[in-house]
Amino acid sequence: MEEKQEVIVPTAEATLRYARISSRKVKIVADLIRGKDIDEALAISKYAPKASGEIIEKLLKSAIANAENNHHMAHEKLYVAEIYANQGPTLKRIRPAAKGSAVRIRKRTSHITIVLKERD
């Protein structure tokens, strides 16, 4: 019988909860950087003409710092293994509308998670 030894791949992650941006808007930039090396991912998130680019860039820098300081991972080998944005709670506001009625305004939030791994 052969025994298979499982190799534990170190991962580092950073999570931003209750970000005041819709998860739908975050997913546009998230799809662009998924699977990329971190230097390329940083450049894409920094120069993407989207509101979520700035948020993702800051979160990516946090994930890199976690990888280097907490998990002793090499900066050159890191890549974005996973990135996802889930919907958070919605803030509900009311705005006056015509004929004395009211319109509900939904201010959406999101939870963004980035997972980094090392390439072999």
Side-chain angles (χ1 to χ4, degrees):
M1 271 178 90
E2 292 181 30
E3 287 187 35
K4 290 186 178 179
Q5 190 174 7
E6 288 188 33
V7 179
I8 299 169
V9 180
T11 62
E13 70 174 58
T15 305
L16 172 62
R17 294 173 57 78
Y18 307 106
R20 258 296 290 123
I21 188 168
S22 168
S23 61
R24 185 175 168 183
K25 293 177 182 178
V26 176
K27 287 176 186 176
I28 295 169
V29 178
D31 290 342
L32 291 175
I33 69 169
R34 188 176 291 112
K36 300 269 196 298
D37 291 331
I38 51 167
D39 293 327
E40 190 179 350
L42 273 171
I44 290 169
S45 62
K46 182 169 187 157
Y47 296 109
K50 297 285 178 188
S52 62
E54 197 176 325
I55 297 166
I56 289 178
E57 180 193 2
K58 190 172 179 179
L59 187 61
L60 191 56
K61 285 179 179 176
S62 175
I64 293 165
N66 290 343
E68 291 173 349
N69 297 319
N70 301 344
H71 303 288
H72 309 292
M73 297 162 82
H75 180 92
E76 304 79 39
K77 294 182 180 179
L78 291 175
Y79 74 101
V80 180
E82 293 175 43
I83 178 168
Y84 49 90
N86 298 324
Q87 191 173 340
T90 302
L91 305 172
K92 295 175 179 76
R93 302 291 181 259
I94 291 175
R95 180 171 192 263
K99 299 181 181 176
S101 64
V103 173
R104 166 108 8 120
I105 293 177
R106 292 183 290 286
K107 294 179 180 271
R108 300 185 187 275
T109 62
S110 58
H111 303 316
I112 310 165
T113 304
I114 296 179
V115 178
L116 302 180
K117 288 184 182 174
E118 280 186 328
R119 287 201 199 278
D120 294 331

